Amino acid sequence: MSTFLLVPGLHLGGWAWDTVVAELTAHGHRALPVTLPGLAERAGEDPAAIGLQEHTDTLADRLGAEEPGVILVAHSYGIFPTLAAADRLPGKVARLVLVDTGLPEAGESVLTLMPHLLDAADGPVLRVPQQIDAVHGVPAAEWERYRRLATPHPARTVTEPIKLTDAWRALPTTGILCVHGGLTLETVRSLHATGAPRFAGLAEPGVTYFELPTGHYPMLSTPVELADVLIRAAAGGGRGLLEP
């Protein structure tokens, strides 16, 4: 049995993982979805008081309450507080799993990588997108649930830089690439082939990859398949970057 701590991306709460949680539980695992401050059922909290540090502290507290061996899963924006928490408590983490997201460097913010997010700024929050592109494959019923449950996202969480000591780099890591959104093994190989230092670790032993034939929201579009891949990742499955 594995324990999965599931961290959502922008505008999402623990609700986004509902079907994934049900699948993991049905296979005998513990699945713990996280809602970060200011989102979903915590949307009543003052967004102006919530930055990346508050999200990191919340997740580190959840991680610290678990026994060692957690499979720490981050979707999209969630990699920022997830990586910072794993860096703080690497002894608690058995594997870090990245769902359709990259790895920030120390001192970077979400806006460093995605400056267009400021277009959605509305005072202390980022507005919820009015649509999800068809390429992501989200069924109509799940899109309706997204529209009903998604919440404005505290804006300071995307402007504050991440604090890292690089203790996390010793952790086994798996990337789940959602190919319909453009992130594929071939893309990652191309990044690694540039020789840039930030991409050197992409082909390290202990780093594996899976591709999913869906878009950026696999917990909504292909949750059963995502749960299966998470179980396989927890067992050390997946392909190395340079494997044929």
Side-chain angles (χ1 to χ4, degrees):
M1 181 192 77
S2 295
T3 293
F4 294 86
L5 196 59
L6 305 165
V7 186
L10 291 174
H11 307 295
L12 305 176
W15 61 266
W17 299 100
D18 284 352
T19 305
V20 175
V21 168
E23 285 293 315
L24 293 174
T25 302
H27 284 83
H29 301 283
R30 291 179 71 226
L32 308 173
V34 175
T35 293
L36 295 168
L39 294 155
E41 66 269 22
R42 304 186 64 173
E45 301 174 31
D46 179 10
I50 299 168
L52 180 58
Q53 188 64 46
E54 285 70 33
H55 278 186
T56 299
D57 289 346
T58 295
L59 188 51
D61 287 346
R62 286 290 300 272
L63 181 59
E66 296 298 320
E67 295 296 321
V70 172
I71 309 300
L72 189 53
V73 181
H75 170 246
S76 193
Y77 156 80
I79 190 57
F80 276 79
T82 296
L83 196 62
D87 190 70
R88 192 182 298 181
L89 296 167
K92 292 285 189 175
V93 181
R95 182 168 291 270
L96 182 64
V97 181
L98 291 67
V99 180
D100 214 46
T101 188
L103 284 166
E105 297 283 300
E108 292 182 336
S109 69
V110 180
L111 285 185
T112 305
L113 308 178
M114 302 176 67
H116 69 275
L117 283 178
L118 277 184
D119 296 342
D122 185 8
V125 298
L126 303 177
R127 294 185 299 274
V128 177
Q130 293 303 299
Q131 63 180 5
I132 295 177
D133 292 341
V135 70
H136 298 311
V138 176
E142 283 299 285
W143 167 225
E144 180 55 38
R145 194 165 72 105
Y146 175 93
R147 294 184 64 181
R148 180 164 41 88
L149 297 178
T151 42
H153 193 97
R156 277 183 46 224
T157 65
V158 304
T159 61
E160 289 184 0
I162 190 170
K163 298 177 182 177
L164 298 171
T165 68
D166 282 351
W168 72 269
R169 291 190 184 275
L171 296 174
T173 302
T174 296
I176 299 176
L177 313 175
C178 296
V179 301
H180 291 176
L183 188 57
T184 67
L185 267 172
E186 197 54 45
T187 304
V188 180
R189 289 188 186 110
S190 297
L191 292 172
H192 180 261
T194 67
R198 71 178 298 146
F199 302 131
L202 297 176
E204 288 289 316
V207 179
T208 63
Y209 298 89
F210 292 90
E211 290 182 321
L212 277 179
T214 189
H216 186 59
Y217 300 90
M219 66 287 296
L220 304 180
S221 59
T222 54
V224 174
E225 294 84 349
L226 177 58
D228 174 69
V229 166
L230 290 176
I231 292 168
R232 292 160 62 193
R239 296 170 60 185
L241 187 64
L242 303 181
E243 289 180 15

